[in-house]
Each structure stands twice: as C-alpha cells, then as structure tokens.
Amino acid sequence: MTIAAIGLGSMGQGAARSLLKAGHAVVGVDPSPAARAAFEQAGGTAVARAADIPQGTTAVLVLTVNAAQARASLFGPEGCAPRLAPGAILIVSATMAPADARALAADAAAQGLLYLDAPVSGGSKAANAGTMTVMASGPEAAFAAAAPVLDAVAAKVWKLGAEAGLGATMKVTHQLLAGVHIAVAAEAMALAIKAGLDPEQVYGVVTGAAGNSWMFENRMAHVLAGDETPHSAVNIFVKDLGLVEAMARDAQSPVPLAAQAMQLFIAAAAQGHGGKDDAFVIRAYQAMTGIKLPGEG
C-alpha cells in the first residue's frame, strides 16, 4: 500500500513512522525541512508539497493543524488529489468543525475518492507507538479501505456512524474535556505553589489520589521539568476550544467551563507563549500571581 502522510508535526511524524514500521511505503509531506529530514532519518521519503506525492498513491493520512490546511493539501492548487489512484482513501485526522468534515467528504465523493472522518487522540507518544485512539465516521467501504492504515497507527478505532462529521463532533467534544483538564491542572498547581507547597510533592500526592487526571499527570510533569517543547501547543487549544464554543452555539448548549479555559489559553498566547507546550497555560496564572515555576529559583 502506497501511503502519503500529510503533516509531519508531533502527531503526524509518529503516525508516519508507525506506518513505516508496519511495512508500508510511506511518503511524508511537510513544508518544514527539519520535519522532512527527521522522517527521512527514520527511513521514509519526504516531499515539501502534497502535489509531489507518487502518482497512483492509494491512501492519504492527513494530520494537519486545521481544516484549511487539510483542504489545501487535498484539493488546493498544490493538493494531492490529481496524484491519487481511482477510489483512493482519504483518512482525515485534523481537528475541525463538523461542517468542514462534511464539506471535505462531499468534495472527495465528487472526485470518486473514499473519505473517512477520523480524528485521533493520544499525543505524540501514542502516535510513535502506533496506539492512538481514532474516533471515526464514514461508510463501511471507507473503513475497509482504511483498515491497513488504522491497524498501523491505532490501538482502538471507534466507529461512530456512516456520516462524515460525527467523528469531528466527537473530537470537538473530547477537546472540551482535554482543554478544561489542562487549564484546571495548571490552576491547581499554581494555587499550590502560591500557597507555599512543594510542586514535586503536589504532583506526587495528586497523581496517587482521587483528584488526578490523565492531563494533570502528563502535563504537570512538563511543568516540573521546565520542558516547554510543544508536544501540543497553547495555540492548539486556542483553536480547539474555539471549535467547542462554535459547536455549542450551533447546538444551543452552554459550555461555561470551556469558555473560561479558552480565555486562559488566549491569555497565555497573548503573553507570547502560544508556541509553547500547552501545559504552560500556567504562565497565565504566573502573570497574575507572581509565582516562580520549578527551576526558576
């Protein structure tokens, strides 16, 4: 199976490498020379433009930042659609609004291509291990065509229905929880530091007690290490919580906690931290309280 992996960021790089490990012929696509070089060092082939993938490619895995990038990489002037084999499968895993997923699926169908609305979760660690969670929707023919790709990158594939947009709806719902959990983890750690507790002890107590969450355990470890490497950046949650608010408006369902969390991510981004790891939304609390984070003396 010849697969194009579009987007070699923290998740896409790992997913593309997992496809290589499974024995597939994989071409990575990313405008970043560093991202392409990293994938080539892992044994893959990489190109800068989606339009440069091999003719007759049979599957495309899209892990771009947003819907606009996904659309451009598939159907834009430098998109890959003209290079694809008839009936090729598009597995689109970018986080986007449900309406955008439905529009992309319609465009794919018009060109005789299969489309799977397939957002993912698990972070860069799961992507590298081939153990992501996929929340997907689409026709059975799309699931069948995508199976070799999904087998290589995922530990669990949820089939949410036959209509594009259901996968995107699930991912936006998931991001409400993820964003709020990160923000409240930062809030708790900031309060503990301000009140005089040792952050290492706070981490130990919480991760062994009922107040723990996956996000607290994962993200506050980054804060303790002072590691701002963006495994997932603050700006991602500015975008994703914006999708939550938009979906909530359409559904006429209130999301006050998500709205407050989004303001904290916006504040951190406004302070210049948008490109840093999302755990460093704690910088917004630091600006308000004057606390010193671990390693700052």
Side-chain angles (χ1 to χ4, degrees), residues 207-226:
T207 56
N212 192 31
S213 69
W214 191 95
M215 284 298 189
F216 184 96
E217 187 164 350
N218 182 270
R219 298 310 205 264
M220 290 305 100
H222 301 172
V223 172
L224 293 180

Side-chain angles (χ1 to χ4, degrees), residues 74-226:
L74 294 171
F75 304 121
E78 295 186 347
C80 67
R83 310 287 292 174
L84 301 179
I89 177 66
L90 308 180
I91 305 159
V92 181
S93 299
T95 301
M96 64 182 69
D100 288 325
R102 290 190 289 268
L104 285 170
D107 289 345
Q111 297 194 33
L113 303 170
L114 293 169
Y115 186 96
L116 195 67
D117 175 18
V120 296
S121 184
S124 56
K125 183 176 180 180
N128 276 293
T131 58
M132 296 189 296
T133 295
V134 179
M135 45 204 92
S137 63
E140 281 301 322
F143 276 103
V149 175
L150 299 177
D151 288 345
V153 303
K156 175 66 177 179
V157 178
W158 288 94
K159 293 186 176 183
L160 301 174
E163 298 178 7
L166 294 172
T169 300
M170 185 67 248
K171 181 59 185 289
V172 172
T173 301
H174 175 274
Q175 293 306 85
L176 184 161
L177 290 165
V180 169
H181 285 180
I182 294 168
V184 78
E187 181 170 297
M189 184 62 79
L191 172 61
I193 293 170
K194 181 67 173 177
L197 290 175
D198 179 335
E200 292 278 358
Q201 290 188 325
V202 172
Y203 184 82
V205 169
V206 172
T207 56
N212 192 31
S213 69
W214 191 95
M215 284 298 189
F216 184 96
E217 187 164 350
N218 182 270
R219 298 310 205 264
M220 290 305 100
H222 301 172
V223 172
L224 293 180

Side-chain angles (χ1 to χ4, degrees), residues 189 193 197-200 220-228 280 282-283 286 291-297:
M189 184 62 79
I193 293 170
L197 290 175
D198 179 335
E200 292 278 358
M220 290 305 100
H222 301 172
V223 172
L224 293 180
D227 182 8
E228 295 180 326
F280 286 85
I282 199 171
R283 297 286 188 195
Q286 183 178 37
I291 59 172
K292 292 186 182 299
L293 298 181
E296 294 182 342

